[in-house]
Amino acid sequence: MLRCGLLGETLGHSYSPMIHHELGEYDYRLFEVSKEDLDAFLCSDRWDGLNVTIPYKKAVVSYCAELSEAAERLQSVNTLIHRPDGTLYGDNTDLFGFLYMVRRSGIDPAGKKALVLGSGGASVTVKAALEQLGADVTVISRSGPDDYDHLDRHADAQIIANTTPVGMYPHNGAAAVDLRRFPRCEGVLDIVYNPARTALLLQAEELGIPHAGGLSMLVAQAKRSSEQFTGTVIGDEALERVERTVNHRLRNIILIGMPGSGKSAVAAALGKALGREVVEADELISQRAGMSIPEIFARSGEETFRKLETEVLAEQGKRSGIILSTGGGCVTRPENYPLLHQNGTIFRLTRDLAKLPTEGRPISQATDLAQLCARREPLYRRFADGTVSNDGALEVTVQTIKEALL
């Protein structure tokens, strides 16, 4: 069996093994190699085909006896083939991947001023792709005349493409630029794929700017790499199938709704049906505080509870593929929305107010439920991607959510 994999320095949360498992029948592993060990690894017989990521896309070029036209032109390699004669062949399948990403996004760079954030190996490829599509491209780096301290001279930019790791897991929440500095911006492309929605993309969404994340690029370049590994052509129809499969497996399922609406029961049933880990936000808050939810409210008040809740949601929202049951009031803090939305599909559960229990729920006990529901109604609507009634059988609620995920 072919021995393939991903070469990089830090690879703990790569999606590549999952993607390649969907594309071909070969062994695909993660090879975390230090700079000091790179030479020995590349010259070894431990592998037949590799994808290459940060920080080695430029470093591996000198090891190749032959380069594809794209790799030669860009001097950046993200796919290596160990040929039978022992020599290495290098290709740049990122170019194909990014061009597919742009096409799939519907963003048209032709005749537009584009800023490429970052000057590493991926930047070279993205710049070339945007120029191929007819854009006028400027690269923004940490030094030189076009750096982040002089963005005002590029306030007329219409396309922003991020090739930096800023905002990538586990450093979620950061963005290389503030999109409000570019009032003419009409398209945002971020090659980061974890989280699914970086802070940059979340801001683009908030501002109503068309945008796309890096998963489609990752899948497309993996398809082209797989063809190189195996010598077998894979139809382009595989791209949407694989992207949909990866999304389905890795997107969090977030449950919100009034206290007592059945979030915990639905989460447990969903976890069993889908084979996913279930996380109860309130349980983690209690563990962190060392006391029950009612005790937190009684001793420290709601503000302390909400602060702890946001800390827990920030940690859990970074994760992938979990089912997260939240507290009924998490929607009262706007900062919780991006924490949940970055990697999740958010479902609001509704239930007849007469069926909502209040025992052990401090706010429900202290407030008229109808008034509480009326206050929170617009907040639930803002957070939710979908609303599901939980007035009937549990099995029906679970099936409705499963169908909505397809």
Side-chain angles (χ1 to χ4, degrees):
M1 178 176 285
L2 284 172
R3 301 161 303 162
C4 303
L6 177 65
L7 168 65
E9 200 168 31
T10 305
L11 304 171
H13 297 274
S14 171
Y15 296 172
S16 291
M18 181 190 308
I19 292 170
H20 281 272
H21 177 76
E22 295 292 324
L23 289 170
E25 295 183 1
Y26 45 82
D27 184 33
Y28 194 94
R29 302 181 181 182
L30 299 179
F31 294 107
E32 290 191 343
V33 178
S34 67
K35 293 181 177 70
E36 294 76 16
D37 295 330
L38 181 64
D39 182 79
F41 177 80
L42 290 174
C43 296
S44 73
D45 61 356
R46 294 173 56 190
W47 57 275
D48 300 305
L50 291 174
N51 289 124
V52 183
T53 190
I54 297 170
Y56 298 134
K57 292 184 180 184
K58 291 181 180 291
V60 302
V61 171
S62 62
Y63 289 84
C64 297
E66 184 182 355
L67 296 171
S68 69
E69 183 278 328
E72 179 73 45
R73 174 162 51 93
L74 301 173
Q75 288 296 294
S76 178
V77 165
N78 78 303
T79 300
L80 284 173
I81 306 298
H82 211 155
R83 299 192 292 197
D85 65 359
T87 61
L88 304 187
Y89 173 77
D91 193 8
N92 187 307
T93 60
D94 278 341
L95 183 64
F96 173 82
F98 187 76
L99 288 170
Y100 173 78
M101 172 184 170
V102 176
R103 186 168 68 250
R104 182 163 166 74
S105 73
I107 296 169
D108 182 8
K112 311 283 176 59
K113 178 173 181 175
L115 299 187
V116 173
L117 309 179
S119 55
S123 170
V124 175
T125 303
V126 169
K127 178 178 184 290
L130 289 171
E131 288 176 339
Q132 183 176 321
L133 294 170
D136 176 18
V137 181
T138 298
V139 174
I140 305 298
S141 59
R142 285 177 290 185
S143 60
D146 295 308
D147 63 8
Y148 293 94
D149 293 328
H150 298 89
L151 287 174
D152 289 346
R153 69 180 62 169
H154 300 296
D156 58 341
Q158 296 157 286
I159 305 291
I160 306 293
N162 178 52
T163 70
T164 76
V166 176
M168 183 170 67
Y169 181 92
H171 304 295
N172 305 43
V177 297
D178 184 341
L179 293 175
R180 289 172 297 186
R181 300 182 70 174
F182 309 100
R184 295 182 59 191
C185 183
E186 54 190 76
V188 178
L189 302 158
D190 194 335
I191 69 170
V192 172
Y193 58 85
N194 183 11
R197 303 178 184 97
T198 60
L200 187 69
L201 295 182
L202 288 169
Q203 188 182 33
E205 183 179 290
E206 182 182 357
L207 296 174
I209 302 171
H211 55 278
L215 182 58
S216 58
M217 176 181 174
L218 181 68
V219 170
Q221 72 80 23
K223 174 228 179 227
R224 183 58 62 92
S225 297
S226 182
E227 292 175 331
Q228 298 271 23
F229 296 158
T230 64
T232 303
V233 175
I234 301 172
D236 283 351
E237 67 277 1
L239 292 171
E240 288 192 29
R241 173 184 61 80
V242 174
E243 186 175 351
R244 188 167 56 248
T245 298
V246 173
N247 255 324
H248 181 70
R249 292 181 185 173
L250 296 177
R251 193 63 57 90
N252 294 334
I253 300 171
I254 314 292
L255 301 181
I256 64 173
M258 282 284 287
S261 58
K263 297 184 293 291
S264 294
V266 172
L270 269 173
K272 184 176 181 180
L274 299 175
R276 293 197 186 197
E277 179 185 354
V278 175
V279 177
E280 288 284 344
D282 279 357
E283 289 183 6
L284 294 180
I285 296 167
S286 292
Q287 291 172 16
R288 180 163 299 196
M291 64 186 80
S292 69
I293 301 298
E295 288 175 320
I296 297 172
F297 272 82
R299 296 184 185 185
S300 305
E302 183 178 357
E303 184 59 29
T304 296
F305 172 81
R306 294 297 172 207
K307 182 175 181 294
L308 290 171
E309 182 177 52
T310 295
E311 291 175 3
V312 166
L313 296 182
E315 293 171 358
Q316 299 305 312
K318 289 183 180 181
R319 300 181 61 192
S320 300
I322 65 170
I323 298 170
L324 177 60
S325 173
T326 67
C330 76
V331 295
T332 60
R333 295 192 92 177
E335 58 265 43
N336 291 340
Y337 175 70
L339 303 178
L340 299 175
H341 186 55
Q342 62 180 328
N343 261 339
T345 301
I346 305 174
F347 291 97
R348 175 200 179 183
L349 298 184
T350 60
R351 177 176 277 175
D352 190 305
L353 290 181
K355 298 178 181 178
L356 298 181
T358 59
E359 185 177 351
R361 297 177 168 87
I363 293 181
S364 295
Q365 290 176 334
T367 311
D368 178 89
L369 285 180
Q371 294 178 0
L372 182 65
C373 185
R375 284 202 306 271
R376 290 184 177 175
E377 176 67 25
L379 304 178
Y380 287 131
R381 285 202 306 268
R382 177 180 180 272
F383 271 59
D385 295 305
T387 298
V388 179
S389 170
N390 194 31
D391 278 318
L394 179 62
E395 296 79 9
V396 174
T397 303
V398 169
Q399 185 60 32
T400 301
I401 292 175
K402 287 173 61 179
E403 291 174 358
L405 293 169
L406 297 177

